[in-house]
C-alpha cells in the first residue's frame, strides 16, 4: 500500500510551515518504511497498519505544538504488491522512453 499524505498546522502567525513539516517527516524517516518526500506530499509504502500508524504519529507530533492541524491523505491499496514506490514511476518512465 502506498499512502501520500500532507500534514501541517493551521492558523498561527507564521508564514512558513517548514519547521512543523520537518518534524512530521522526521517521524516518517524514523519509521524505517520506504518513503519519498516531494514538494506537496510525503509518500510512504508498507502494510495498512504500518503506514496508518506513521500518519497518526506524524499528526500527533504536530498536535503536541499546534491547536489545529490539517491532514490530507491519498492511498493506493493493492494487496500483494510491494516496491511500488519506485516501480510505478519506472513504468511511466518506460512508456515515455518508448
Amino acid at each position: 500500500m502506498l499512502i501520500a499524505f500532507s500534514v501541517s498546522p493551521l492558523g498561527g502567525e507564521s508564514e512558513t510551515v517548514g519547521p512543523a513539516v520537518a518534524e512530521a517527516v522526521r517521524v516518517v524517516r524514523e519509521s524505517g518504511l520506504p518513503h519519498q518526500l516531494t514538494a506537496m506530499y510525503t509518500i510512504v509504502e508498507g502494510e495498512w497498519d504500518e503506514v496508518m500508524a506513521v500518519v497518526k504519529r506524524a499528526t500527533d507530533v504536530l498536535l503536541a505544538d499546534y491547536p489545529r492541524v490539517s491532514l490530507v491523505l491519498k492511498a493506493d491499496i493493492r494487496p500483494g504488491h510491494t516496491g511500488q514506490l519506485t516501480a510505478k514511476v519506472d513504468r511511466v518512465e518506460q512508456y515515455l522512453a518508448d
Side-chain angles (χ1 to χ4, degrees), residues 24-92:
V25 171
R26 184 171 283 114
V27 169
V28 174
R29 290 184 176 174
E30 290 173 353
S31 76
L33 293 175
H35 62 278
Q36 180 181 24
L37 177 63
T38 73
M40 296 288 293
Y41 294 96
T42 300
I43 305 166
V44 183
E45 184 170 20
E47 296 299 319
W48 180 276
D49 291 339
E50 293 174 319
V51 296
M52 295 308 269
V54 169
V55 170
K56 182 178 184 334
R57 283 194 307 270
T59 303
D60 287 345
V61 162
L62 269 61
L63 284 170
D65 293 325
Y66 301 94
R68 189 174 182 190
V69 172
S70 169
L71 172 65
V72 177
L73 187 140
K74 181 176 181 179
D76 181 353
I77 305 165
R78 195 172 182 196
H81 288 78
T82 59
Q84 296 303 295
L85 187 64
T86 56
K88 291 176 77 165
V89 174
D90 291 346
R91 285 191 295 273
V92 172

